[in-house]
Amino acid sequence: MSRRAPRPAALSAALAAALAASAFLTAPAARAHEGGADHGHADAEAAFIGADHARAHAERRSAAAGAADYPQATRTASLAALTKSQAAANQAVVPARDGRFAQFFPSPDFGVHLAQLPTGKVLLFSFERVEVNPTKETGPTDRIGRTNAGRAFLWDPARGTGAQAFKEVRPPTVLMPDGTHVPRPAPFFCAGHAFLPNGMLAVFGGNAGGKGGSGAKLSFVFDPWTETWFRNRDMSVGRWYPSVVTGADGRQTIVSGQSERGTGTPTPVVERFPAKGLPVPWRPYDIPAGMAVERFRADAPFRNDYPHLFSLRDGMIYGLGRDADQQWLFDPVRETRADLPRRPADFRGYGSAVPLPAGLRGPDSVLVLGGDPHDPNTYRLAGGRWSTEEPRAFGRTQDDTLILPDATLLTVNGALSTRDYGHGPFNPDADLKYRRTELRDARGHWRLGPAQRLPRGYHSNALVMPDGRVMVTGDELQQIANDPDIRDAMDGSIEIYEPPYLHQGGTRPALDRVPGGELAYATPFEVRSATASAVRRAVLLAPTTVTHAVNTSQRHLELAVTAVRGDALTLRTPPGAADAPPGYYMLFLLDGRGVPSTAKWVKLGHRQTGGVRPSDRPGRGRPDGCGQPLPGATRPRTAP
């Protein structure tokens, strides 16, 4: 039997009563466990004004309560102090040598998870905050029910840095097996993710709630072409803090993560997506909805979660655990696991690991760095052996290290430990040194760079954008502690770093046109450049998807330049899929100074399928001109 809608007058009176009641909510009640007074109030409010509107009201009430605990004046003064100390620290910075931080602006998301999409937009996702006092836990780690929820947004750099440049792409509504039967946006924070060959982002796991944080079996794919989430069949085990990597065959290996039994129970089960009997989502219109994972025959009993995973040019999957004795090699064909040598250093927490550029071939070595505030050394695994490499200026954890288009490395972010920036845990004050960047040149030498504005430790992230700039975000504690207006919806922040190559003067190389469709391996292809005679290098840079200092997608490859005729350059793709797993890459042209062009997107695959050139496409939608967005889906505003 249908329920009659209330008359407008009745609705207005009821709404007024509901809003009046909200004024009497105390701060403890607003943060109560699901099932308490706030739960009942939220249900009543949602019945009249809708779940989304009610959720916004609840967030404002929480912000008001948090502002009383940690006043806005404190946040404002803190941000002003950081802005001043950043300017003072960077007085001696020479942009042509050190780069510079050029922008700082609000974001609607904390950026716990980050992905550079092949549409040029950036996906940020995390959780709905449950606390706005940065001296307390802000995330719903141990919450059961409605407040254990995720959120996601797109940032379109082409639309600037204001609120209009962001679009919410809320995760699917789910019912979690927590006994509450309360629907909420999927709590997929602290999940693992990697790109599929068709440019979509596969996300596995999340927080099922309670037990100190427990693993969810969730499996999703985000389609950047229609900006839509799709749900797949659940994994066989829950995973909170898992790692995922895409192999040479386009399938993804999923390891580790705390199980559904709660914190302290990392699962040894390895799974693969899609299952062997299912096709790999290859084309942009191959939507993997309802697809299953399958269990890998070997296990991976990591004692700690979020191991670093890499698919190197031998086709093997390297699993580098936080514990020195848990360094393993996985054969994705034979489905076996073998031991790698023990790492020289002891336990390392959240630190970086980067597959080092190796010229025209895929990477064959990995540099492990960070994760121990008392050890500034970097450690290289190559040829089955570890070596100790040149140290950075100091040890740090929670750092993010990126490969730049010119093959230099950049470290941003960092802390003393998970929530300790130098003055104790959950204390927003931080030592200035953890805000300093570091750059590693082609000879392996490190030097300190400029300071970023915010200290960013736990949950901090960074990625290289197609225009060569670096986006830095993350760390909800610091973002909340320095929020210029805690009552608005922009409770995150983004900083933009411009590397030295953007300050060399003169004109940047131009990349005017690239082929559409897939490019086969070991095959010549032609690009157009108005500055072709100045081009000395062509580089493929894989897009980043990163969380918790784990970045499994990074890859840098040089492309052979075999001919230059007028404005046409003939390049050659990498030798095979083990060198560069199939999917989308940013193609940069560099001049003799190492200055890169703005990138264009190309797709590597096993076959040539043709297609129109990205710069020639008059319409919007999928990048090869095939297929259409699903009914009701939002089309991208720009094409790659």
Side-chain angles (χ1 to χ4, degrees), residues 467-486:
D467 61 9
R469 298 180 300 163
V470 174
M471 171 188 178
V472 182
T473 189
D475 189 334
E476 67 279 0
L477 184 151
Q478 289 292 343
Q479 292 176 102
I480 287 175
N482 296 283
D483 193 327
D485 184 358
I486 195 63

Side-chain angles (χ1 to χ4, degrees), residues 362-622:
D364 60 358
S365 67
V366 174
L367 191 69
V368 175
L369 58 171
D372 184 346
H374 307 295
D375 183 4
N377 286 316
T378 63
Y379 300 92
R380 183 175 181 177
L381 175 65
R385 295 183 178 181
W386 289 96
S387 60
T388 302
E389 304 290 302
E390 181 174 312
R392 293 185 294 186
F394 53 88
R396 63 173 105 186
T397 69
Q398 324 300 323
D399 54 295
D400 295 278
T401 301
L402 297 170
I403 313 172
L404 300 181
D406 63 355
T408 60
L409 302 186
L410 168 71
T411 291
V412 297
N413 303 325
L416 179 67
S417 64
T418 303
R419 294 289 194 191
D420 189 339
Y421 309 84
H423 298 284
F426 286 95
N427 184 335
D429 293 337
D431 289 344
L432 176 64
K433 70 178 184 180
Y434 295 119
R435 295 158 58 196
R436 295 289 300 274
T437 60
E438 290 193 63
L439 288 159
R440 180 183 185 267
D441 63 24
R443 296 172 297 170
H445 299 321
W446 291 93
R447 70 178 187 277
L448 284 171
Q452 57 199 70
R453 184 161 305 176
L454 258 61
R456 297 183 190 265
Y458 193 49
H459 290 165
S460 64
N461 290 305
L463 55 76
V464 179
M465 299 165 62
D467 61 9
R469 298 180 300 163
V470 174
M471 171 188 178
V472 182
T473 189
D475 189 334
E476 67 279 0
L477 184 151
Q478 289 292 343
Q479 292 176 102
I480 287 175
N482 296 283
D483 193 327
D485 184 358
I486 195 63
R487 291 178 174 84
D488 68 12
M490 306 290 277
D491 53 9
S493 64
I494 292 170
E495 298 180 64
I496 300 297
Y497 170 76
E498 297 174 345
Y501 52 61
L502 295 180
H503 295 277
Q504 300 302 309
T507 303
R508 293 178 67 176
L511 177 53
D512 301 314
R513 185 171 295 181
V514 300
E518 289 183 7
L519 298 174
Y521 292 102
T523 301
F525 68 101
E526 188 176 276
V527 302
R528 299 281 178 169
S529 168
T531 60
S533 61
V535 172
R536 297 294 177 268
R537 297 164 63 191
V539 163
L540 289 183
L541 195 68
T544 280
T545 180
V546 59
T547 186
H548 292 74
V550 174
N551 186 337
T552 69
S553 65
Q554 286 201 90
R555 214 174 196 86
H556 180 287
L557 293 105
E558 304 275 347
L559 299 183
V561 181
T562 60
V564 181
R565 291 183 297 274
D567 69 346
L569 295 98
T570 302
L571 313 177
R572 189 173 183 84
T573 55
D579 294 282
Y584 286 87
Y585 290 78
M586 294 181 284
L587 172 61
F588 292 92
L589 300 180
L590 289 81
D591 64 17
R593 302 168 300 164
V595 177
S597 66
T598 293
K600 288 190 179 295
W601 294 91
V602 296
K603 185 185 181 189
L604 295 180
H606 293 298
R607 57 192 181 279
Q608 192 82 29
T609 60
V612 296
R613 299 180 187 274
S615 55
D616 294 342
R617 284 198 303 277
R620 299 169 180 172
R622 299 184 183 279

Side-chain angles (χ1 to χ4, degrees), residues 170-408:
R170 186 173 302 179
T173 298
V174 298
L175 284 172
M176 298 301 295
D178 57 13
T180 64
H181 308 290
V182 176
R184 86 295 300 264
F188 55 10
F189 57 92
C190 299
H193 32 88
F195 287 108
L196 289 161
N198 64 354
M200 297 182 187
L201 185 74
V203 178
F204 302 96
N207 182 21
K211 305 172 186 176
S214 56
K217 298 181 180 181
L218 298 170
S219 171
F220 298 103
V221 166
F222 183 74
D223 178 353
W225 318 113
T226 63
E227 300 177 351
T228 306
W229 290 96
F230 296 93
R231 187 171 181 178
N232 283 290
R233 292 174 58 183
D234 284 354
M235 297 180 290
S236 64
V237 294
R239 298 182 188 272
W240 190 46
Y241 289 60
S243 297
V244 186
V245 70
T246 303
D249 61 355
R251 297 184 192 275
Q252 299 178 324
T253 301
I254 311 160
V255 308
S256 192
Q258 306 298 323
S259 78
E260 55 268 41
R261 291 178 293 139
T263 295
T265 64
T267 179
V269 174
V270 180
E271 293 178 282
R272 177 165 40 202
F273 179 82
K276 269 188 177 178
L278 300 173
V280 173
W282 205 266
R283 299 162 297 185
Y285 50 88
D286 291 336
I287 297 174
M291 296 182 76
V293 299
E294 69 175 346
R295 185 162 180 170
F296 197 81
R297 283 201 292 265
D299 62 5
F302 287 105
R303 286 189 292 272
N304 288 280
D305 43 36
Y306 272 141
H308 292 286
L309 289 183
F310 297 103
S311 177
L312 299 188
R313 76 179 185 206
D314 57 5
M316 301 292 107
I317 304 296
Y318 289 73
L320 309 181
R322 294 199 228 170
D323 294 279
D325 62 340
Q326 293 200 303
Q327 315 295 311
W328 290 322
L329 181 72
F330 299 90
D331 186 326
V333 176
R334 295 185 177 87
E335 298 186 40
T336 58
R337 186 190 86 226
D339 290 337
L340 290 168
R342 180 187 178 96
R343 192 184 58 227
D346 291 328
F347 178 81
R348 304 183 78 82
Y350 296 103
S352 304
V354 178
L356 290 173
L360 300 174
R361 297 291 309 277
D364 60 358
S365 67
V366 174
L367 191 69
V368 175
L369 58 171
D372 184 346
H374 307 295
D375 183 4
N377 286 316
T378 63
Y379 300 92
R380 183 175 181 177
L381 175 65
R385 295 183 178 181
W386 289 96
S387 60
T388 302
E389 304 290 302
E390 181 174 312
R392 293 185 294 186
F394 53 88
R396 63 173 105 186
T397 69
Q398 324 300 323
D399 54 295
D400 295 278
T401 301
L402 297 170
I403 313 172
L404 300 181
D406 63 355
T408 60

Side-chain angles (χ1 to χ4, degrees), residues 60-153:
R60 285 196 290 272
R61 290 193 295 270
S62 174
D69 290 345
Y70 198 86
Q72 180 64 54
T74 302
R75 305 174 207 271
T76 302
S78 176
L79 182 58
L82 289 172
T83 303
K84 183 178 180 179
S85 62
Q86 180 191 32
N90 292 343
Q91 281 184 343
V93 164
V94 178
R97 180 194 64 205
D98 308 313
R100 68 164 187 159
F101 281 93
Q103 290 177 293
F104 179 92
F105 53 94
S107 163
D109 192 71
F110 298 132
V112 175
H113 301 264
L114 207 58
Q116 173 62 66
L117 303 176
T119 59
K121 300 178 184 179
V122 178
L123 176 68
L124 307 93
F125 61 101
S126 63
F127 46 75
E128 294 289 359
R129 66 189 186 189
V130 296
E131 175 62 66
V132 293
N133 183 336
T135 64
K136 301 177 182 178
E137 178 57 58
T138 58
T141 296
D142 213 21
R143 299 297 182 100
I144 297 293
R146 186 187 310 279
T147 55
N148 181 33
R151 66 182 185 185
F153 293 84

